[in-house]
Each structure stands twice: as structure tokens, then as C-alpha cells.
């Protein structure tokens, strides 16, 4: 009886394989496809190269709180913080990340940094073509990950000191 059950199970499994032979073949035409990902398709939740976000005014969302670096199990985030000044405002809080590097030699794309960020400054993009024979090129700098400035915004944002002191 057990043998018959096993044979039936194998036949059922093989029938699925057999039917698949007559289904149309679906391939992604990578790397000759259209779009920025050259035809590659990803689920929205795919964790690719990180993206550093700006707010609608062009200010960087990162406020250099170091929570992402603290949460990172691979210790691959390096941040140097700097103070915003009246003349040069880069983020919406007191500090901004003057340097923000991620070492993709060590990143395991776990997403803990994204979860830890209180300002949604760091997210996962869909970038995936980062393989390299030169490991130094796998250290990504802030400038490589920062989203472009929205149209109409200027960098660095100049703040009128008089207007700032009026607001206090
Ligand atoms: S995805 Fe994980 S390993 Fe990569 S930088 Fe973020 S916390 Fe670190
Ligand atoms: S990316 Fe987020 S968690 Fe990391 S330093 Fe910037 S604000 Fe803090």
C-alpha cells in the first residue's frame, strides 16, 4: 500500500513538471530590457542599494542620529555628523550627516538600518548591480545614495538669519 502511495505521489509531482513544459516561457530580458533596471523585475519589497531621502523642500531627511549605525549588525555604516548653521542648512534638524558611507563588502541587506531610522531617511532602493573586483568601489558615499534635489529647490539651502531669529 505504501508503495502505491509513493508511486501516486511521484506521478502527481511529475505531472506538474510535464504540464509546465507546455506553458509559455517567461523570461526577463535583462540586461537588454527597457527602463532603469534594464528589464529586471523586482518585488516592491526587494532590498537593494540604499537610498538617502530628502523632504519635499530638498532638505536631507537624515539628522545624523546614528541609530542606523547602532542597529547595523555588520557595522558597515560610517557617519560623520555636522551642525546646520543659519547660513547653510542641509537637514531639518540640528545636525546632518556630513559623511554617510555604507560598506557593501559587509552589508547583508537585512534592513535593520531602515527599520531603525526615525525620519525615514534611509530606505532600500532596487539597485543591484554592485558586484565588483575592486572592493574599494563597494564603499558607497552619501553622494551616490542621495536622491536628486527636487525641482525648484537649491542646495545648500540658505536661511535668512533675521527670519530665523524672528521665529524664536
Ligand atoms: S541593511 Fe543591514 S547590514 Fe546593511 S547597512 Fe543596513 S543594517 Fe547594516
Ligand atoms: S539615516 Fe536615519 S537613523 Fe541613520 S543617522 Fe540618518 S536619521 Fe539617523
Amino acid at each position: 500500500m505504501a508503495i502505491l502511495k509513493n508511486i501516486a505521489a511521484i506521478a502527481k509531482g511529475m505531472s506538474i513538471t510535464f504540464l509546465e513544459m507546455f506553458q509559455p516561457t517567461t523570461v526577463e530580458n535583462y540586461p537588454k530590457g527597457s527602463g532603469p533596471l534594464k528589464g529586471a523585475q523586482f518585488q516592491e519589497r526587494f532590498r537593494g542599494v540604499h537610498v538617502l531621502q530628502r523632504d519635499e523642500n530638498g532638505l536631507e531627511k537624515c539628522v545624523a542620529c546614528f541609530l542606523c549605525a547602532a542597529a547595523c549588525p555588520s557595522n558597515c555604516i560610517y557617519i560623520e555628523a555636522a551642525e546646520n548653521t543659519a547660513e547653510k542648512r542641509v537637514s531639518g534638524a540640528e545636525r546632518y550627516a556630513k559623511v554617510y558611507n555604507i560598506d557593501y563588502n559587509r552589508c547583508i541587506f537585512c534592513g535593520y538600518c531602515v527599520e531603525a531610522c526615525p525620519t525615514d531617511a534611509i530606505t532600500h532602493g532596487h539597485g543591484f548591480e554592485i558586484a565588483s573586483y575592486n572592493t574599494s568601489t563597494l564603499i558607497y558615499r552619501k553622494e551616490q545614495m542621495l536622491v536628486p534635489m527636487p525641482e525648484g529647490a537649491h542646495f545648500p539651502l540658505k536661511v535668512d538669519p533675521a527670519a530665523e531669529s524672528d521665529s524664536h
Side-chain angles (χ1 to χ4, degrees):
M1 208 50 194
I3 291 176
L4 284 179
K5 269 189 182 170
N6 287 346
I7 291 172
I10 290 170
K12 191 176 169 191
M14 292 309 290
S15 70
I16 292 170
T17 306
F18 185 73
L19 289 173
E20 280 298 318
M21 288 166 59
F22 299 100
Q23 297 298 319
T25 307
T26 307
V27 294
E28 291 168 14
N29 191 21
Y30 173 83
K32 294 190 175 157
S34 57
L37 297 176
K38 302 180 195 168
Q41 307 282 329
F42 292 103
Q43 293 294 319
E44 197 50 44
R45 64 179 182 271
F46 175 79
R47 297 190 200 129
V49 172
H50 296 81
V51 178
L52 293 172
Q53 304 289 344
R54 295 179 187 275
D55 67 16
E56 60 280 6
N57 298 316
L59 290 168
E60 293 175 16
K61 284 190 172 181
C62 179
V63 296
C65 68
F66 289 80
L67 286 177
C68 53
C72 178
S74 308
N75 201 19
C76 61
I77 301 179
Y78 176 80
I79 302 169
E80 283 178 21
E83 301 277 331
N84 286 300
T85 62
E87 293 75 35
K88 182 185 169 190
R89 174 160 290 282
V90 178
S91 78
E94 265 179 43
R95 300 193 303 176
Y96 69 97
K98 188 171 75 172
V99 176
Y100 193 110
N101 296 347
I102 295 183
D103 184 352
Y104 285 107
N105 292 292
R106 301 168 70 168
C107 176
I108 55 172
F109 296 91
C110 63
Y112 286 3
C113 50
V114 176
E115 301 270 329
C117 181
T119 61
D120 292 332
I122 184 164
T123 58
H124 278 290
H126 286 172
F128 67 102
E129 291 177 305
I130 59 171
S132 170
Y133 288 113
N134 181 353
T135 53
S136 66
T137 63
L138 289 174
I139 299 172
Y140 274 44
R141 296 171 179 280
K142 171 177 142 178
E143 293 73 20
Q144 292 168 275
M145 297 182 281
L146 197 58
V147 293
M149 186 64 91
E151 228 167 275
H154 301 286
F155 183 82
L157 295 185
K158 301 275 185 194
V159 177
D160 179 2
E164 250 215 343
S165 57
D166 285 353
S167 66
H168 294 304

